[in-house]
């Protein structure tokens, strides 16, 4: 088996580190749940080449995605033995020091009596997302599909739902693109190694693990219809990070298996970018990055999986989340909002309370997001600009303090200006680059959008 990976694992050295099979979380570092580190934002693009093929253009045009973290940890909702476990709910096995024998029993409770893939997809589409990324396997190793390569999967649970298949079909039926998240880290697989494998035994085990991973990725790309891309995670363990050729080899193999596949840079070690920078986790860049990028965001400070209580700072409001989406579009990036469904398969009401108002806003104002790029204008605080063709969209999260709004640096003269209100688009007077006679209060409590038509 090892010879298959000679090209992927070129230089594994020898050392005494051993990791017992049932100690998959031993190498797990809780601090790492603070998030993947964004790759360099310096002008050194490390040879990155902007893809302009239809699949990548579609990824760009989508602008808004929905992340779903769902697994057996969703049953616990951040609680173990009646107490809240600090940290992200999907890390509860580590945070709560739950023995594998106990944690693995959750599979038998995965009944999903309230799971309805069509409802999930419809709710997500109503929020305005154009693509969905679901955790097919998170760090705990549990697989949301009936994999031929492991029994630690949904096939061993009592549910009758084929979650991934049902969801992928429903997502496409709603006109959205399906992406699969896959964790490189695996706390369950006996052959996974977190540390750089040094002994021949560890090297052979890790090579078997990489083979297992490829087998699973092949299942994911062949058994679920058109999957637009893979979203890798957990590249920080030394076994992967110290050997950039593993990621590069895997990436080349995937591109051959599925031409046009969209891959974020987490498939690689931190040495270079794949199609886009996916390292903006729970934060946005300060200025517009030079390459394609995507931010992913939690509703609480740091829990991706369902959390029943979350006693941290709190859950972000719809306005805060929407402003992050708009700021991302205004810096030519994608924004992915995460939700964590409950263990029974229903959505968390706290997530829905945020998805709905964002969806109402997107219904009237989606044209100012989809297919747009950012535009650097001189604008008052809390105001951002996006553009598409001859239209410039001004987003006012903070309503102007006077009845005028200066918009400096436009790419041409204004031909017309409208403001979206609850009664539709209303014409706005302007003089040069200043919008005049504005209503005294914001027509939209979230974000009021001006559409400027610019002379070519
Ligand atoms: O540890 C994970 C975390 O649970 C979550 O899945 C996020 C999503 O980007 N990724 C890791 C941290 O970078």
């Amino acid at each position: 088996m090892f010879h298959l990976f000679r090209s992927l694992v070129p230089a594994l050295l020898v050392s005494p580190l051993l990791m017992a099979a049932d100690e998959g979380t031993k190498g797990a570092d809780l601090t790492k749940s603070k998030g993947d580190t964004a790759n360099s934002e310096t002008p050194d693009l490390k040879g990155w080449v902007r893809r302009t093929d239809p699949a990548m253009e579609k990824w760009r045009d989508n602008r808004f995605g929905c992340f779903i973290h769902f697994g057996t940890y969703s049953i616990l909702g951040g609680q173990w033995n009646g107490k809240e476990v600090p940290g992200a709910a999907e890390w509860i096995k580590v945070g709560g020091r739950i023995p594998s024998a106990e944690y693995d029993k959750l599979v038998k409770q995965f009944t999903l009596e309230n799971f309805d893939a069509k409802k999930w997809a419809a709710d997500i589409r109503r929020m305005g997302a154009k693509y969905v990324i679901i955790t097919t396997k998170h760090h705990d190793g549990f697989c949301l599909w009936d994999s031929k390569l492991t029994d630690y999967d949904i096939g061993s649970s009592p549910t009758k739902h084929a979650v991934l298949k049902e969801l992928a079909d429903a997502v496409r039926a709603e006109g959205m693109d399906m992406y699969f998240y896959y964790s490189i880290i695996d706390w369950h697989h006996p052959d996974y190694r977190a540390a750089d494998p040094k002994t021949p035994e560890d090297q052979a085990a890790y090579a078997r693990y990489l083979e297992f991973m490829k087998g699973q990725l092949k299942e994911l790309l062949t058994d679920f219809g058109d999957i637009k891309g893979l979203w890798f995670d957990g590249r920080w363990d030394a076994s992967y990070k110290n050997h950039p050729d593993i990621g590069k080899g895997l990436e080349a193999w995937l591109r051959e298996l599925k031409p046009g596949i969209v891959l974020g840079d987490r498939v690689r070690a931190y040495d270079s970018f794949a199609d886009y920078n996916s390292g903006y986790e729970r934060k946005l860049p300060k200025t517009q990055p030079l390459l394609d990028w995507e931010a992913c965001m939690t509703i609480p400070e740091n829990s991706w999986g369902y959390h029943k209580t979350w006693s941290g700072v709190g859950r972000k409001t719809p306005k805060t989340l929407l402003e992050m989406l708009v700021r991302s579009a205004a810096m030519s990036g994608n924004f992915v909002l995460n939700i964590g469904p409950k263990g029974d398969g229903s959505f968390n009401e706290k997530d829905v309370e945020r998805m709905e108002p964002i969806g109402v806003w997107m219904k009237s104002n989606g044209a100012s997001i989809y297919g747009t790029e950012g535009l650097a204008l001189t604008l008052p605080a809390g105001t951002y600009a996006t553009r598409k063709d001859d239209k410039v969209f001004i987003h006012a999260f903070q309503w102007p303090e006077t009845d005028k709004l200066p918009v400096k640096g436009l790419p041409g003269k204004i031909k017309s200006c409208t403001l979206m209100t609850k009664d539709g688009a209303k014409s706005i007077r302007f003089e040069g680059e200043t919008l005049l006679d504005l209503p005294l209060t914001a027509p939209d409590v979230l974000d009021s959008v001006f559409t400027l038509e610019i002379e070519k």
Side-chain angles (χ1 to χ4, degrees), residues 381-399:
T383 312
Y384 314 95
T386 54
R387 80 176 288 187
K388 186 177 182 190
D389 306 325
D390 63 342
K391 295 213 169 57
V392 169
F393 305 98
I394 307 293
H395 297 258
F397 279 86
Q398 226 168 286
W399 193 243

Side-chain angles (χ1 to χ4, degrees), residues 22 145 166 202 310 341 353 376 380 386 391 404 419 427 448:
D22 198 36
W145 79 104
E166 290 171 32
D202 282 337
W310 192 258
E353 280 170 2
T386 54
K391 295 213 169 57
K404 288 185 183 177
L419 172 64
S427 184
S448 305

